[in-house]
Amino acid sequence: AANIASLDLLKKDPSFVQLLQDNAKLFREGLKELGFEVWGLDTGVIPVLIRDTEKTLAMGRRMFEEGVYSPGFGYPVTPKGEDRIRVQACSEHTQADIEFALSCFAKVGKELGII
């Protein structure tokens, strides 16, 4: 019932989808500008490749300490060399939320020598 209700809502007001796409683009482009390697296209899920299991897991922990939930996935969960942080934009994020997350990515990425 909840799925049907959410689909009905999206049919009535597609602005949620546009806002999600705009937020994901803003987040994805911001990560790229910082120097991170980002996979994916126009979805809310944004894989940030770190390519080092130890650094990936450390980054996930440090990001959580900074107030941003962005879990790290490394080998054996991912293929060797494809270790990544997984973030997700949503339509409820504000520009301030995205800027905060980007500032944390910049801080921790530099701290760990990723960027």
Side-chain angles (χ1 to χ4, degrees):
N3 286 340
I4 292 170
S6 64
L7 291 173
D8 288 342
L9 177 65
L10 291 174
K11 287 178 188 175
K12 291 178 187 171
D13 186 1
S15 68
F16 292 109
V17 175
Q18 186 61 53
L19 189 52
L20 167 63
Q21 291 171 339
D22 293 345
N23 284 347
K25 182 178 180 181
L26 179 65
F27 202 0
R28 182 176 281 105
E29 293 304 315
L31 288 164
K32 287 179 184 178
E33 286 176 20
L34 289 171
F36 287 98
E37 181 181 0
V38 179
W39 274 2
L41 300 171
D42 298 328
T43 69
V45 177
I46 305 166
V48 183
L49 267 69
I50 308 299
R51 298 189 182 276
D52 177 289
T53 301
E54 187 176 312
K55 285 184 178 183
T56 300
L57 299 179
M59 183 157 192
R61 284 190 301 273
R62 284 289 297 118
M63 290 296 291
F64 186 76
E65 291 168 1
E66 293 293 325
V68 177
Y69 181 68
S70 52
F73 297 92
Y75 180 80
V77 176
T78 65
K80 286 186 180 185
E82 293 184 15
D83 313 274
R84 67 196 76 158
I85 297 290
R86 182 187 180 276
V87 294
Q88 185 167 337
C90 76
S91 62
E92 296 300 309
H93 286 136
T94 64
Q95 184 167 349
D97 293 332
I98 295 169
E99 289 171 1
F100 173 75
L102 289 171
S103 72
C104 293
F105 265 91
K107 177 182 177 181
V108 175
K110 290 175 185 173
E111 177 184 299
L112 296 175
I114 296 167
I115 56 170

